[in-house]
Amino acid sequence: MPPSTETLTAERILEATEEVLRRHGPAKATVVDVARALGVSHGSVYRHFRTKAALREAVTKRWLDRTTGMLAVITEADGDPEARLREWFAALFEAKRRKAGDDPELFATYTVLTGENVEAVVEHLTELTGQLTRVVQDGIDAGTFTVTAPATTALALFQATARFHDPGYAGEWEKPGAEEEFTALLDLLVRGLKA
């Protein structure tokens, strides 16, 4: 492949890495493959990411941040806290289902990568529960929710709904009745917030 005339950026490298991972899978994808896809030397890639592990961690973080960013819009919106809570969980469930269903190879790859990059996953989960904490606090402030510990409540909500966003349950997301089960659980949880 001829050398690329485009400026090599971290973002271009991450995009190429995603494609290489999709094509080769996490076990066979190499930095040389990424460099080849970009038309640059592998040393050029290493100038942006010091190790293969750092590159894989950055790709994982980028993937997780897409979901976090989309949910942040819902978190920061004005409006009824109950509606925002429901919308936030529905968007999370749909995003995870779409990722698993639309590109199962890449989803499987990211399942491997998230297992390798526990720190990025912990940061992601912390950010998600932080978003939920804000929505719960808004509900408390508005008098919609009667709970008194927003962070503890947010964590409990997140854990209670794990079946609808934890990748370990991906095989269940398209089963008949999954949407109805999700709605029933969310209705139950919201009633608990108001009790």
Side-chain angles (χ1 to χ4, degrees), residues 15-58:
E15 287 171 8
T17 302
E18 254 186 33
E19 272 310 305
V20 167
L21 285 165
R22 181 179 283 115
R23 255 182 295 147
H24 301 291
K28 294 182 181 177
T30 67
V31 174
V32 171
D33 294 326
V34 173
R36 191 176 301 123
L38 290 164
V40 300
S41 72
H42 66 281
S44 297
V45 174
Y46 281 125
R47 279 194 276 289
H48 289 270
F49 299 96
R50 294 179 53 89
T51 64
K52 179 180 176 180
L55 177 58
R56 288 164 73 106
E57 181 179 354

Side-chain angles (χ1 to χ4, degrees), residues 78-111:
D78 291 329
D80 176 49
E82 178 183 336
R84 285 175 32 228
L85 183 80
R86 288 176 181 276
E87 182 182 359
W88 191 94
F89 275 113
L92 177 60
F93 183 29
E94 182 55 32
K96 296 289 181 137
R97 275 201 314 196
R98 195 173 45 251
K99 285 178 181 180
D102 292 353
D103 198 343
E105 295 83 13
L106 193 58
F107 188 76
T109 293
Y110 279 112
T111 300

Side-chain angles (χ1 to χ4, degrees), residues 1 8 22-23 61 63 85 104 106 111 125 127 154 158 172:
M1 177 175 274
L8 187 64
R22 181 179 283 115
R23 255 182 295 147
K61 185 167 176 10
W63 188 64
L85 183 80
L106 193 58
T111 300
L125 296 176
E127 197 166 347
F158 194 74
E172 297 182 23

Side-chain angles (χ1 to χ4, degrees), residues 105-195:
E105 295 83 13
L106 193 58
F107 188 76
T109 293
Y110 279 112
T111 300
V112 171
L113 293 181
T114 55
E116 293 175 1
N117 295 291
V118 175
E119 189 174 311
V121 172
V122 168
E123 182 181 311
H124 173 68
L125 296 176
T126 300
E127 197 166 347
L128 292 179
T129 55
Q131 289 178 357
L132 273 176
T133 299
R134 177 173 171 189
V135 175
V136 171
Q137 183 64 60
D138 289 351
I140 293 168
D141 293 346
T144 305
F145 303 147
T146 60
V147 295
T148 57
T152 302
T153 301
L155 182 58
L157 290 167
F158 194 74
Q159 291 172 340
T161 57
R163 181 170 166 240
F164 301 100
H165 53 78
D166 184 316
Y169 294 96
E172 297 182 23
W173 296 341
E174 294 302 326
K175 287 184 178 177
E179 190 71 38
E180 291 79 9
E181 291 170 13
F182 169 73
T183 301
L185 175 61
L186 207 49
D187 287 346
L188 178 67
L189 293 172
V190 168
R191 280 196 303 275
L193 292 173
K194 294 175 162 187

